[in-house]
Amino acid sequence: MIDIWIIWLILIILLVNTISALITVFHRPRNIVTTWAWILVLVLLPIVGFLIYAFLGRGIAQEKIFNISRQEHYSLSQLKKMAIAAQKRPQNASRYDETRYADHIIRFFNETEEAPLTRHNEIELFFDGQEKFKNMFEDIKKAKETVHVEYYAFIKSNIGDQFLDLLTQKAKEGLEVRILYDPWGSGGTKPKYFKKFQAAGGEVLPFITSKNVIAKTRLNYHLHRKIVVVDGTIGWIGGFNVGDQYVNTTEKFGYWRDTHSRIFGAATLLLQERFFRDWNASLDRSAEPLEFLEKYFPSDKFNTDANLPIQIISDGPDNREEILKDGFIDMIVSAKKSVWIQSPYLVPDDAMFTALTIAARSGVDVRIMIPCMPDHPFIYRATQYYANLLTTYGIKIYSYQKGFLHAKTSVFDDKICSVGSMNHDFRSYSLNFEANAFIYDAKVAHQITRSIKKDMDDSILLTPEIIKEQGMWLHFKQRFSRLLSPIL
């Protein structure tokens, strides 16, 4: 009799758990793949699954986080001033200017995100961590007024110590120096790490999603941007974080291959605004927000002869649309010749998967480069699954062998290119706060294409034979990881 009651009790618990799971998952709109992944977790892990969902599954539409996108759009007025001034003098249009070719995507970003095209820019690309930090440190040493730093990972490390010491020195010199970071991405970095910096007059904040984690259950949302703005005129944006692995002084990953860009010009105004919005949203209620003053947005300091077209696009769960992902889909399906992508993670949702396969079946040369090793095992196995599957559609998948590939770069038809923080996975599409620079210039696109070709020399092209040799157990792990990929 007791055994029967136990069986009935278990059945009732499972029934209640299943009904609760369905109500929980379907109470708000979400991607169908993500929906099924959460149902799988909630049903297979009774009670425990709901605890996981409380921290990783809830949305933040109701949170104050939307203050990020509701703040003043000050850079627009400054850009308008520059446009008016430029009309009064002859323009030296670049022969590499591809804005006519890219008119459709430029309008999409501007109308969706209020991200205007900026023209008065110069850009320099960096493909090595030591070179990136060397040049960025030189910019900071020459700073006269402000240094604003925003990173997903600011790790206590040798390069982190060097960076923080430099920022501390600039704070002692009387500059306004601020650091915004994501504690979850920064690993073991504790608040006390910044005490010396703060004592010198510097300011530091953890991103808003790291605050009140227990009460607000924001654990699944991260600041993934990598931005530095010096004096409001020089901006850095790309894939490098702050840590020793990024400058190749650790053995775990070998050579760390990444891409970052240094921008001097009007696009820096948008990077400065991005920092202001993220900083103000992360402040405590009692703190005074940064004011959008003209001194922080010095539009009169740029060389109007420079004519490089750049858009800075930010995205995150504060937006109701997946703007960056949709923009990439637009460019992929619009490509006539080639689509080359580098990403450490390759876990596309249905829309992105369809766009990639349509392009390949239309005769477009689609190539995607991924790392040969994991930094997150589940995501890596899911990446392998999609790499294998995309290969069957004629897409060339390259596995970088020299070390760890962390670059988030794309080139379309050798005319448009992108450098930034967005990976091609569910997390970057909808959960992380990302930022990318889109450059509409064939000369810059060719430079990134050359770097990718060089990386191909250090890569292995995935073939059906290689896929077959992976074995049944590895294929099982790939398929299982793929099921959970929407919530990783």
Side-chain angles (χ1 to χ4, degrees), residues 257-269:
R257 173 65 182 84
D258 218 324
T259 303
H260 224 87
S261 61
R262 177 189 185 271
I263 299 172
F264 174 80
T268 307
L269 299 175

Side-chain angles (χ1 to χ4, degrees), residues 300-313:
D300 60 337
K301 293 187 178 181
F302 303 126
N303 176 11
T304 54
D305 289 335
N307 199 39
L308 185 69
I310 297 177
Q311 269 182 306
I312 302 296
I313 310 301

